[in-house]
Structure formats: structure tokens, C-alpha cells
């Protein structure tokens, strides 16, 4: 049996892993990733800044996985630099 995973592609990146899809030269550096965040909410807003009043720059879906590189007041900064997500709506997955 083959294990298969589904990845969401948007804004030039494979969602959750910060991997460029357009042949960018820079490879992913996992050293700056604190953990991966699996989305638990049906839909979750990505905001420009880490607060509820900041503009929404994107909406992401349940079960998608994103790389978190920093935390600030219950907000996680996405490695893709797309913005921030509210951490109470994610499951944290730590690397081994």
C-alpha cells in the first residue's frame, strides 16, 4: 500500500512546507521552523499582522499543515511570510 498525502498549492508555495513551486533557487531551511501547525478550524483567516483587527490576506482550510517560525501573543507567523494565524485553532506538530 502506498501512503499518499494531499498538498494545497497557493501563493507560489506548497501550503505548510514553504516549498517554492516555481523553481526558486533557495531550498527550505528547517532550522528556523518551531513546529508545524495542522489547522483544526473549518476555515481560518491568515492576517497581515498578529491581531484580530489586521486585514485578512488569505483563508486556509481544515487539515492543511503550515510551518510556524515565530509566535507572538497566541499568533503564529507562517514561514511562507503570507502572514499570521491564530494558534488556538491549530494542532502543533513538533519535529523529531
Amino acid at each position: 500500500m502506498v501512503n499518499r498525502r494531499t498538498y494545497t498549492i497557493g501563493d507560489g508555495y506548497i501550503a505548510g512546507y514553504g516549498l517554492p513551486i516555481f523553481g526558486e533557487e533557495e531550498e527550505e531551511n528547517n532550522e528556523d521552523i518551531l513546529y508545524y501547525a495542522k489547522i483544526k478550524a473549518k476555515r481560518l483567516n491568515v492576517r497581515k499582522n498578529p491581531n484580530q483587527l489586521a486585514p485578512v490576506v488569505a483563508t486556509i482550510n481544515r487539515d492543511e499543515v503550515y510551518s510556524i517560525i515565530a509566535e507572538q501573543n497566541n499568533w503564529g507567523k507562517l514561514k511562507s511570510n503570507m502572514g499570521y494565524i491564530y494558534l488556538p485553532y491549530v494542532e502543533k506538530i513538533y519535529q523529531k
Side-chain angles (χ1 to χ4, degrees), residues 13 57 69 77-84:
Y13 288 86
V57 295
I69 59 169
K77 183 176 181 177
L78 299 175
K79 181 178 174 74
S80 66
N81 287 317
M82 187 181 352
Y84 295 81

Side-chain angles (χ1 to χ4, degrees), residues 47-75:
R47 297 193 179 265
K48 184 175 181 176
N49 298 305
N51 67 68
Q52 291 179 321
L53 300 177
V56 174
V57 295
T59 303
I60 54 181
N61 301 304
R62 179 181 291 139
D63 293 331
E64 293 179 349
V65 179
Y66 292 84
S67 303
I68 303 297
I69 59 169
E71 285 188 3
Q72 183 178 347
N73 299 323
N74 260 346
W75 292 86

Side-chain angles (χ1 to χ4, degrees), residues 2 6 8 19 21 33-34 37 52 54 64 80 86 89-91:
V2 175
T6 302
T8 302
L19 297 174
I21 59 171
I33 296 173
L34 297 178
Q52 291 179 321
E64 293 179 349
S80 66
Y86 194 53
Y89 295 105
V90 307
E91 172 188 348

